[in-house]
C-alpha cells in the first residue's frame, strides 16, 4: 500500500483522512484493499490513514495482531466503551473522512459500509465523504503492462470471432443445419484452444433473440442460423495472469450480403451515438475539464430522445474495465445508477450504446483508455459497418 500516494490524494481532495473498517468479513473493499487474505476479525476493526502522519490501527484487545502486516500505530480497545473512547481521540468534529459509501446509494460498487456504521461515525461529528474517486486510483488506473495485456487479449478475442464467422459460412455453404447452441459449442471449443480467461461465455443472439441483451443460447429453443440471419455478439476475456485487463467488445453481423435497410438504419443510429460519446469525452479532456460518468450516458439518452427512440434503451452506455470485466472505476451510467465519479486519466471503460426494438437489436461496444496525456484510445478494430459473414 502506497501511503505517501494516498496522503497526496487526500491533500488534493482537501480531506482529513481515509477510513477502512470491517467486521466478520462484511466489507469486501476493506478485505481487498488492506490485503486481509484469510485474516478474519470477530470484533470491529478500523484503519485510519490521516492526511498527515502515521496510519492508525484500532483493534480489539482480543485481536491485537490482525493488522500487523500494515504500517501504523496500534491502539487497542476493550469493549464498546473502549472503542468509542479511542475513536473519539481520532475522529474530531468537523473532519472530512473518506469512507466506502455513496450518498443515496448512487454508486453500488463503492457502498461497502452499511448505513448503521455511517450513522455511528457521524456521532463523532465527522463528515463522511465518499471514497469513490479515491478508490479509482487503486485498481482502476492501469499500468502500461496492463494495457499491453488488454491488447493481447484483443488479438485473441478477434481471432476467436474470425474463426467463428468462418465456421458459420462453411456450415451454411455445406447446407449443414446450425443454430445458436451449436455456435456456442463451437465458440467454447475455440476459446479452450486459446490462452484466454472468461468469467462467462460469450453472449449472443440471432434475429429477434438479439433484442434481448441478456439472452443466452440454450440447447432447446435456439434459433437457426441461415442466410440472411442477423447476429449480435458480446464477448469479453483477459489473459490468465495477475493484473491482466479485460478486452470487451460487441459486434453486429449479417449472414450474407443482403442486409435489411431497417437493420442498417438502427446500426447507423447506434454507431453515431457511440462515436458522439467518445468525441464528447475527448472534447472535455481537450478543454481540461472534468467529465463524469453519468454525463456521457445522459448525453446519449437525450440524443436518442431527440431521435424518438429512447424507449428502446435497456442499459447504460458503458462500464469500467479492469482485471474484472466490470471494474471498480467509473461507469458511463445515468440509467441504472447515477455515477458521478470522474473519468480519470489511466482508466478504461466500454462505450456500448444499444437499442432493442421488437425485431432489431443493435449494440456496438469498444473499450476506451484515457492516456496520461488525456487522449482517448481504442486498442483494436473499430466496427463502422455491419459485418457480412
Amino acid at each position: 500500500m502506497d501511503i505517501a500516494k494516498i496522503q497526496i490524494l487526500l491533500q488534493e481532495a482537501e480531506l482529513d483522512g481515509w477510513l477502512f473498517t470491517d467486521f466478520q468479513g462484511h466489507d469486501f473493499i476493506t478485505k481487498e484493499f488492506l490485503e486481509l487474505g484469510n485474516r478474519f476479525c470477530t470484533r470491529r476493526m478500523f484503519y485510519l490513514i490521516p492526511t498527515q502522519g502515521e496510519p492508525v490501527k484500532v483493534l480489539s484487545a482480543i485481536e491485537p495482531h490482525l493488522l500487523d502486516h500494515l504500517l501504523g500505530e496500534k491502539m487497542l480497545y476493550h469493549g464498546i466503551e473502549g472503542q468509542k473512547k479511542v475513536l473519539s481521540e481520532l475522529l474530531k468534529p468537523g473532519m472530512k473522512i473518506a469512507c466506502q459509501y455513496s450518498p443515496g446509494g448512487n454508486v453500488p460498487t463503492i457502498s461497502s459500509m452499511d448505513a448503521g456504521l455511517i450513522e455511528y461515525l457521524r456521532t463523532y461529528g465527522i463528515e463522511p465523504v465518499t471514497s469513490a474517486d479515491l478508490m479509482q486510483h487503486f485498481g482502476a488506473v492501469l499500468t502500461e503492462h496492463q494495457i499491453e495485456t488488454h491488447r493481447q487479449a484483443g488479438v485473441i478475442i478477434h481471432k476467436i470471432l474470425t474463426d467463428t464467422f468462418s465456421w458459420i459460412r462453411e456450415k451454411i455453404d455445406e447446407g449443414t443445419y446450425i443454430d445458436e447452441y451449436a455456435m456456442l459449442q463451437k465458440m467454447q471449443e475455440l476459446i479452450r484452444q486459446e490462452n484466454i480467461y472468461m468469467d462467462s461465455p460469450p453472449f449472443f443472439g440471432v434475429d429477434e433473440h438479439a433484442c434481448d441483451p441478456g439472452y443466452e443460447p440454450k440447447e432447446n429453443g435456439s434459433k437457426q442460423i441461415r442466410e440472411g440471419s442477423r447476429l449480435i455478439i458480446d464477448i469479453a476475456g483477459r489473459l490468465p495472469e495477475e493484473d491482466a485487463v479485460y478486452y470487451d467488445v460487441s459486434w453486429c453481423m449479417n449472414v450474407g450480403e443482403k442486409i435489411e435497410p431497417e437493420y442498417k438504419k438502427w446500426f447507423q443510429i447506434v454507431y453515431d451515438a457511440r462515436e458522439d460519446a467518445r468525441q464528447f469525452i475527448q472534447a472535455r479532456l481537450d478543454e481540461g475539464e472534468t467529465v463524469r460518468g453519468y454525463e456521457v450516458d445522459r448525453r446519449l439518452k437525450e440524443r436518442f430522445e431527440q431521435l424518438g427512440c429512447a424507449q428502446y434503451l435497456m442499459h447504460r452506455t458503458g462500464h469500467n474495465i479492469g482485471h474484472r470485466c466490470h471494474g471498480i472505476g467509473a461507469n458511463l451510467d445515468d440509467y441504472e445508477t447515477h455515477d458521478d465519479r470522474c473519468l480519470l486519466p489511466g482508466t478504461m471503460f466500454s462505450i456500448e450504446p444499444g437499442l432493442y426494438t421488437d425485431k432489431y437489436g443493435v449494440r456496438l461496444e469498444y473499450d476506451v483508455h484515457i492516456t496520461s496525456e488525456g487522449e482517448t484510445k481504442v486498442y483494436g478494430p473499430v466496427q463502422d459497418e455491419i459485418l457480412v459473414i
Side-chain angles (χ1 to χ4, degrees), residues 139 142 146 238-239 241-246 321-325:
L142 306 177
Q146 287 179 304
R238 62 168 172 80
L239 301 185
E241 64 181 58
E242 187 176 353
D243 288 338
V245 170
Y246 263 86
I321 291 175
H323 185 62
R324 297 188 183 95
C325 187

Side-chain angles (χ1 to χ4, degrees), residues 80-91:
I80 186 63
E81 293 305 319
Q83 180 191 109
K84 290 178 179 178
K85 183 175 184 299
V86 171
L87 289 178
S88 66
E89 295 174 10
L90 297 174
L91 304 176

Side-chain angles (χ1 to χ4, degrees), residues 226-367:
R226 52 193 166 191
E227 209 69 48
S229 289
R230 303 179 304 278
L231 175 63
I232 186 172
I233 293 183
D234 187 331
I235 182 171
R238 62 168 172 80
L239 301 185
E241 64 181 58
E242 187 176 353
D243 288 338
V245 170
Y246 263 86
Y247 185 93
D248 185 10
V249 290
S250 296
W251 280 57
C252 290
M253 285 65 61
N254 196 80
V255 180
E257 296 183 356
K258 292 183 179 179
I259 304 175
E260 297 177 24
E262 192 75 1
Y263 187 23
K264 287 184 178 180
K265 183 193 85 169
W266 290 112
F267 179 94
Q268 194 63 46
I269 289 172
V270 173
Y271 171 82
D272 290 344
R274 184 185 64 180
E275 298 312 296
D276 179 73
R278 183 181 175 186
Q279 291 164 12
F280 171 71
I281 294 168
Q282 187 63 65
R284 281 286 192 89
L285 295 172
D286 290 344
E287 294 165 3
E289 296 182 1
T290 295
V291 55
R292 299 183 183 275
Y294 79 88
E295 294 179 294
V296 186
D297 194 41
R298 181 176 293 179
R299 179 181 177 88
L300 292 202
K301 181 182 178 183
E302 291 173 352
R303 180 187 181 94
F304 291 137
E305 285 174 345
Q306 292 171 2
L307 294 170
C309 56
Q311 68 271 30
Y312 300 126
L313 284 169
M314 293 185 70
H315 55 73
R316 63 194 173 197
T317 296
H319 60 83
N320 179 256
I321 291 175
H323 185 62
R324 297 188 183 95
C325 187
H326 289 234
I328 198 170
N331 301 319
L332 311 186
D333 191 1
D334 196 40
Y335 181 84
E336 298 162 25
T337 65
H338 177 73
D339 199 324
D340 57 1
R341 291 176 290 178
C342 300
L343 301 180
L344 298 180
T347 61
M348 180 179 288
F349 46 86
S350 68
I351 301 182
E352 52 178 305
L355 294 174
Y356 308 90
T357 72
D358 292 339
K359 186 177 180 182
Y360 300 96
V362 174
R363 179 171 66 259
L364 296 173
E365 174 183 14
Y366 53 38
D367 306 330

Side-chain angles (χ1 to χ4, degrees), residues 88-103:
S88 66
E89 295 174 10
L90 297 174
L91 304 176
K92 301 298 184 182
M95 278 185 165
K96 292 183 177 180
I97 303 294
C99 298
Q100 285 61 257
Y101 100 110
S102 173

Side-chain angles (χ1 to χ4, degrees), residues 1 5-6 9-10 13 15 18-21 27-34 49 98-101 107-113 129-142 320 324 327-330 341-342 344 347:
M1 184 187 302
K5 178 180 178 180
I6 291 173
L9 292 170
L10 288 171
L15 298 174
W18 192 353
L19 184 65
F20 295 86
T21 181
D27 194 313
F28 61 91
I29 291 178
T30 291
K31 180 176 176 63
E32 183 172 326
F33 198 82
L34 300 189
I49 304 174
C99 298
Q100 285 61 257
Y101 100 110
V107 185
T109 54
I110 202 68
S111 298
S112 61
M113 278 192 181
V129 177
T130 181
S131 62
D133 273 330
L134 279 174
M135 191 61 71
Q136 289 198 82
H137 291 275
F138 304 92
V141 174
L142 306 177
N320 179 256
R324 297 188 183 95
I328 198 170
R341 291 176 290 178
C342 300
L344 298 180
T347 61

